[in-house]
Amino acid sequence: MLNKKSELLFTRRTQLRRFIPKDLDESYEWMNDEKIKKFANEFYAQSKEQANKKIKDYIESEDKNLDYNWLIILKKNDQAIGEAKANNINEDEKSIDLSLAINSKFKNRGYATEVISKLLEFFFTEVGAEKVRTYSDIDNESWQEVLKKLNFRQISKKGSTIYYEITNISYMTLFSVFGEI
């Protein structure tokens, strides 16, 4: 079964946990970030009401085992800096679509690489996924660099969106060569 509950996960500098209702105020800052709107519109919230609805929807979809949703929190000060989401779970293909949004104030500090690396480990070793897919806006070069660093390969391009995929074998090869990323 590819969908378990979103477990509490830790990286060197972050923790990833399920959303809870009290996350609204802290989450709204990054959900309302203009760069989130440009590159990861699915995470964008125009108002606190819209952010609150998104958080309620995340909690509900988790409770029904439909999606994975994590709030990304810095360990050093418990500040929420973004979220990671996995959805479109395909049991037949053993595939999952993964997306990430990090407050632009925290971009280019390695958090995306750290979080995605942990999520790949979780999906490939704990959940049993064989493929993880994601996408990037053609102008989001920093996200594309993260994906290349983690061994994702481009599988298609439609308009201004580039689609990527990594297989369990490709990830395990990278992990066995470089160890923890």
Side-chain angles (χ1 to χ4, degrees):
M1 176 182 217
L2 288 182
N3 202 333
K4 304 162 66 170
K5 295 278 187 192
S6 296
E7 296 181 13
L8 180 62
L9 301 173
F10 295 94
T11 71
R12 188 171 55 83
R13 299 177 295 163
T14 68
Q15 74 173 14
L16 289 76
R17 69 159 169 79
R18 291 181 69 181
F19 280 86
I20 55 177
K22 72 175 189 152
D23 290 329
L24 173 63
D25 288 332
E26 209 169 351
S27 298
Y28 180 66
E29 179 185 342
W30 60 263
M31 285 180 152
N32 190 266
D33 185 324
E34 284 300 313
K35 289 195 176 170
I36 298 292
K37 182 179 182 180
K38 180 177 180 183
F39 292 131
N41 194 40
E42 70 189 87
F43 295 104
Y44 181 73
Q46 195 167 352
S47 65
K48 278 197 172 187
E49 293 76 28
Q50 193 177 27
N52 193 36
K53 181 178 179 341
K54 282 181 180 277
I55 290 171
K56 285 180 181 176
D57 289 348
Y58 294 159
I59 293 167
E60 188 176 300
S61 71
E62 276 278 337
D63 290 341
K64 293 179 181 176
N65 278 343
L66 299 175
D67 298 328
Y68 292 90
N69 298 288
W70 286 275
L71 183 64
I72 303 166
I73 302 169
L74 293 179
K75 284 181 183 177
K76 68 180 178 184
N77 60 9
D78 289 329
Q79 182 177 5
I81 64 167
E83 83 174 88
K85 177 194 296 191
N87 57 5
N88 297 326
I89 298 163
N90 185 318
E91 292 283 345
D92 296 331
E93 288 185 12
K94 294 189 176 180
S95 66
I96 296 174
D97 290 355
L98 181 62
S99 48
L100 178 83
I102 293 185
N103 185 329
S104 61
K105 293 177 185 176
F106 297 93
K107 293 268 187 194
N108 300 316
R109 297 185 193 179
Y111 293 117
T113 302
E114 198 172 309
V115 167
I116 295 298
S117 179
K118 176 53 93 175
L119 292 175
L120 291 174
E121 176 187 340
F122 173 72
F123 286 122
F124 289 138
T125 63
E126 300 289 324
V127 175
E130 291 181 10
K131 292 179 189 172
V132 174
R133 295 184 185 114
T134 192
Y135 65 93
S136 175
D137 183 278
I138 199 162
D139 294 329
N140 194 347
E141 293 173 2
S142 61
W143 177 235
Q144 292 167 39
E145 287 301 315
V146 168
L147 298 176
K148 288 175 189 170
K149 184 187 300 185
L150 293 174
N151 225 18
F152 278 82
R153 68 179 180 85
Q154 182 177 331
I155 56 173
S156 67
K157 181 179 168 188
K158 292 180 185 168
S160 65
T161 304
I162 305 169
Y163 296 91
Y164 293 87
E165 173 182 278
I166 186 171
T167 63
N168 187 335
I169 292 170
S170 180
Y171 170 76
M172 294 301 179
T173 302
L174 180 70
F175 185 78
S176 68
V177 171
F178 294 109
E180 188 173 339
I181 300 168

